[in-house]
Amino acid sequence: MNEQQRKEMDQIKKSEDSADNLDRLKNLGSDELIGKYFQSTYEPPNLKKAKKRRREEVQVHYDHSIPPEMQQIGKGKKFLIRTYGCQMNEHDTEVMAGLLSEMGYETTNDTKEADVILLNTCAIRENAENKVFGEIGHLKPLKLENPDVIVGICGCMSQEESVVNRILKKHPFIDMIFGTHNIHRLPNLLKEAMFNKEMVVEVWSKEGDIIENLPKVRKGKIKGWVNIMYGCDKFCTYCIVPYTRGKERSRRPEDIIQEVRQLAAQGYKEITLLGQNVNAYGKDLGIEYGLGELMNEIHKIDIPRVRFTTSHPRDFDDRLIEVLAQGGNLLDHIHLPVQSGSSEVLRVMARRYTREDYLNLVAKIKKAIPNATLTTDIIVGFPNETDEQFEETLTLMEEVGFESAYTFIYSPREGTPAAKWEDNIPMEVKKERLQRLNALVNKQSAEAMKNYQGQTVKVLVEGESKNNPDVLAGYTEKSKLVNFVGPKSIIGKIVEVKITNTKTWTLDGELIKEPVEVN
Ligand code: SAH
Ligand code: SF4
Ligand code: F3S
């Protein structure tokens, strides 16, 4: 950057007129130079730092406040948050919506109407990131047309240095980037972005403390997410999550139980306990208290349905199985990601269990909970996975009898160990394996669905079907989507439906009783 450009850039940074700024930025020279300039003003996120697990105890903070000058800032204004990725992100979006609402903002689905647009991003696979970069591209003309709109990038991608650099270089119109550990700072960051008129980047590489009592605007009034822990310490060799979400930190049991009680009192019918590895719950608390104990407490709360996700096979202990076997509101659908059926692949993935360990665990679960439904996650085409090893995944799929599975082609993530390994498996082979696996998943799902023909199931009615407003849709205890005709008045209730037709992924039925609060 020459002297002239640097001077111009300094002026732009000081300038109050953002419309003018953008034009001047555009005229100034290459995006790369602009990126470099802004880059010099912040500390980039660092995956190596994020990898460090520290000994200090995590503090819990119960106070939260919005800076006085921001408390009314959103009056008459609107926000839109696009959420990518997992339930954790969906729930983070509810917290950000809560913070924005406390500042007076209202929600909108229309980008043209929005004064604040946030992309809550996911870094799990390359195609997840590509979607976000596509959306960033779409937002550029909007920002040029309406320079006052604030566009922010948050979520897991913000924790990656390469992503932040790319945004700085290629998309300088973005107003703010903040990380997964900085969500509670949204009001302050928004303030900076509004008044400083320069890109605000705040990404803490290491996790912060637990902040309780942040406001939330939940997406619905029927089902609610409840975070029980943050982060992940497992470091599976392919996975970016331990870097983007920090070390495992469990919320205190009393805070979780209070939140569940509140949701029950507000009439919520279902909660899902959330964590990257919920079975590790409590390990960091220094007390003899795990997920089993927590669920045992929640079992006594008057809320009809309790789920949990995601569990790691390694930490699925006997106490948890014993508690789940009590049934009641603890549902017998267990999502238990296996990733591969080959012990050798599992070893290089650092999953810390073998095929046999997994099968033993499944046998134990089925013995204690005979009706248990199991679903899973599988990665195909892990570096150097042989045909035989892939076949082992297919046989495991059948042996366990998974009723469905999320299946993925391995995607190298920068900064993870596996990304550095040579991989002799061509993409064509990986795609073929995915197809073969998906054919088996579809077959097993369709077979599981057929068993429901003529049966009566309990359905929590969530609303109109996506494809047909005259039809209602809801989920069974085992997470099967059921479509049936009924009055709108039963939305939010648990009703009994007789299954009249089964498809690969959904069931059709007839309402036989309404509304039965059958728990
Ligand atoms: N904590 C959860 C997983 C969260 S990520 C667990 O351990 O079960 C959800 C799923 O994405 C994983 O189960 C895995 O199947 C898949 N996944 C994670 N990293 C991936 C990668 N680099 N490439 C392809 N799939 C990946
Ligand atoms: Fe990723 Fe493994 Fe942690 Fe799951 S348990 S989030 S796959 S590192
Ligand atoms: Fe994606 Fe982050 Fe979730 S990487 S899957 S949004 S924890």
Side-chain angles (χ1 to χ4, degrees):
M1 189 176 294
N2 62 32
E3 203 40 45
Q4 178 65 28
Q5 282 172 317
R6 190 178 299 282
K7 265 192 199 146
E8 177 83 342
M9 194 72 89
D10 278 334
Q11 272 177 10
I12 293 173
K13 285 184 79 183
K14 280 187 209 124
S15 159
E16 286 296 309
D17 181 350
S18 58
D20 192 32
N21 272 355
L22 272 167
D23 280 342
R24 287 160 71 186
L25 274 175
K26 269 193 300 172
N27 293 335
L28 191 62
S30 78
D31 282 348
E32 201 176 335
L33 286 178
I34 298 167
K36 274 195 185 131
Y37 179 81
F38 278 99
Q39 213 179 335
S40 66
T41 65
Y42 89 108
E43 191 191 339
N46 183 323
L47 291 181
K48 282 207 184 95
K49 270 195 202 161
K51 188 174 182 185
K52 294 222 170 78
R53 290 302 183 253
R54 299 162 311 132
R55 283 182 184 281
E56 300 108 83
E57 221 178 275
V58 171
Q59 304 292 316
V60 185
H61 303 279
Y62 290 90
D63 305 322
H64 120 89
S65 65
I66 292 197
E69 63 278 29
M70 295 304 282
Q71 284 171 6
Q72 304 289 321
I73 200 96
K75 278 265 146 63
K77 293 187 183 164
K78 297 197 167 147
F79 72 92
L80 183 156
I81 310 179
R82 285 215 198 295
T83 312
Y84 303 81
C86 67
Q87 296 94 337
M88 202 68 67
N89 259 14
E90 287 186 29
H91 192 43
D92 286 346
T93 288
E94 294 180 335
V95 172
M96 292 190 284
L99 289 164
L100 288 162
S101 300
E102 275 202 350
M103 289 183 270
Y105 287 95
E106 281 174 33
T107 175
T108 175
N109 288 323
D110 183 356
T111 42
K112 292 210 180 69
E113 255 187 27
D115 300 281
V116 175
I117 299 176
L118 300 179
L119 305 186
N120 191 4
T121 64
C122 170
I124 201 81
R125 282 169 292 275
E126 194 186 348
N127 57 4
E129 297 205 349
N130 289 344
K131 271 192 228 160
V132 171
F133 280 114
E135 183 63 20
I136 291 178
H138 289 145
L139 290 174
K140 187 169 181 177
L142 190 113
K143 174 76 187 180
L144 290 178
E145 217 173 275
N146 175 12
D148 288 335
V149 60
I150 301 274
V151 182
I153 308 292
C154 54
C156 288
M157 279 169 70
S158 311
Q159 297 291 142
E160 294 179 287
E161 187 175 345
S162 58
V163 168
V164 174
N165 282 340
R166 181 166 162 187
I167 294 174
L168 284 162
K169 284 189 185 131
K170 301 242 165 87
H171 310 283
F173 75 92
I174 296 291
D175 299 282
M176 56 181 185
I177 306 179
F178 58 100
T180 57
H181 309 307
N182 307 70
I183 287 175
H184 62 287
R185 301 248 316 132
L186 176 58
N188 309 64
L189 298 173
L190 202 54
K191 180 177 145 192
E192 274 184 56
M194 278 174 169
F195 298 115
N196 289 354
K197 306 278 187 204
E198 68 183 51
M199 199 192 294
V200 175
V201 183
E202 187 182 284
V203 183
W204 295 338
S205 294
K206 62 184 174 77
E207 65 288 331
D209 294 332
I210 291 181
I211 322 259
E212 291 291 343
N213 299 333
L214 288 177
K216 295 178 188 107
V217 173
R218 294 185 187 270
K219 205 169 162 201
K221 299 202 170 326
I222 304 168
K223 302 203 292 191
W225 308 116
V226 177
N227 242 317
I228 64 169
M229 61 185 297
Y230 305 94
C232 179
D233 287 348
K234 282 280 185 284
F235 288 102
C236 302
T237 49
Y238 50 83
C239 185
I240 193 77
V241 171
Y243 307 81
T244 63
R245 291 278 170 175
K247 76 171 177 183
E248 286 175 357
R249 289 149 289 149
S250 300
R251 287 178 69 197
R252 291 180 181 163
E254 58 273 25
D255 295 333
I256 298 168
I257 287 162
Q258 191 199 359
E259 186 175 345
V260 176
R261 287 216 174 97
Q262 248 172 22
L263 290 172
Q266 288 165 10
Y268 279 80
K269 292 287 155 50
E270 179 176 310
I271 56 155
T272 302
L273 307 178
L274 282 187
Q276 282 307 336
N277 173 13
V278 284
N279 307 48
Y281 175 77
K283 289 195 169 163
D284 56 312
L285 288 174
I287 48 173
E288 281 290 303
Y289 195 96
L291 183 62
E293 296 312 325
L294 181 69
M295 302 260 313
N296 199 35
E297 286 296 310
I298 293 175
H299 174 65
K300 298 173 201 150
I301 299 176
D302 186 16
I303 192 148
R305 291 181 170 193
V306 179
R307 303 183 191 275
F308 59 104
T309 199
T310 303
S311 27
H312 189 293
R314 167 91 186 183
D315 298 317
F316 211 110
D317 61 24
D318 292 350
R319 176 64 179 145
L320 177 60
I321 298 177
E322 179 186 54
V323 169
L324 289 176
Q326 297 173 81
N329 59 0
L330 308 181
L331 300 187
D332 54 8
H333 168 203
I334 299 168
H335 187 68
L336 193 61
V338 67
Q339 312 300 358
S340 167
S342 152
S343 293
E344 178 53 22
V345 174
L346 290 170
R347 191 184 64 76
V348 281
M349 285 178 163
R351 290 291 289 181
R352 299 180 225 184
Y353 54 84
T354 61
R355 175 189 178 100
E356 290 66 39
D357 294 336
Y358 189 89
L359 286 171
N360 286 340
L361 173 61
V362 167
K364 249 203 264 180
I365 293 173
K366 285 185 174 168
K367 187 162 175 242
I369 315 165
N371 275 329
T373 295
L374 289 163
T375 56
T376 199
D377 292 353
I378 292 173
I379 297 177
V380 301
F382 196 66
N384 308 317
E385 180 191 53
T386 64
D387 278 332
E388 292 72 30
Q389 289 167 340
F390 169 65
E391 297 288 337
E392 287 187 78
T393 296
L394 296 178
T395 56
L396 183 94
M397 180 79 208
E398 286 175 318
E399 209 170 323
V400 176
F402 291 116
E403 292 196 4
S404 90
Y406 295 107
T407 56
F408 312 100
I409 291 182
Y410 163 70
S411 170
R413 308 314 297 134
E414 198 182 317
T416 63
K420 298 187 199 82
W421 300 341
E422 268 190 37
D423 184 0
N424 62 19
I425 311 297
M427 188 44 94
E428 281 315 301
V429 173
K430 298 188 185 205
K431 284 188 180 158
E432 210 178 284
R433 285 182 190 165
L434 184 71
Q435 273 176 6
R436 278 183 68 197
L437 176 61
N438 284 346
L440 181 61
V441 173
N442 288 357
K443 180 171 155 264
Q444 290 189 195
S445 175
E447 276 166 10
M449 291 305 217
K450 278 205 186 95
N451 293 332
Y452 284 101
Q453 183 69 37
Q455 280 196 31
T456 297
V457 288
K458 292 173 193 168
V459 177
L460 171 54
V461 191
E462 290 191 14
E464 292 169 3
S465 144
K466 273 196 194 123
N467 306 323
N468 182 351
D470 298 330
V471 172
L472 294 177
Y475 286 86
T476 69
E477 293 182 347
K478 291 175 182 289
S479 314
K480 310 288 187 207
L481 179 61
V482 182
N483 292 306
F484 64 100
V485 175
K488 303 264 187 295
S489 56
I490 61 172
I491 292 174
K493 303 221 157 86
I494 296 173
V495 298
E496 293 196 334
V497 175
K498 185 168 178 188
I499 301 305
T500 53
N501 185 30
T502 73
K503 300 175 181 162
T504 304
W505 298 113
T506 61
L507 301 166
D508 295 331
E510 280 167 5
L511 180 65
I512 59 168
K513 238 196 232 171
E514 65 167 279
V516 254
E517 287 300 297
V518 275
N519 298 339

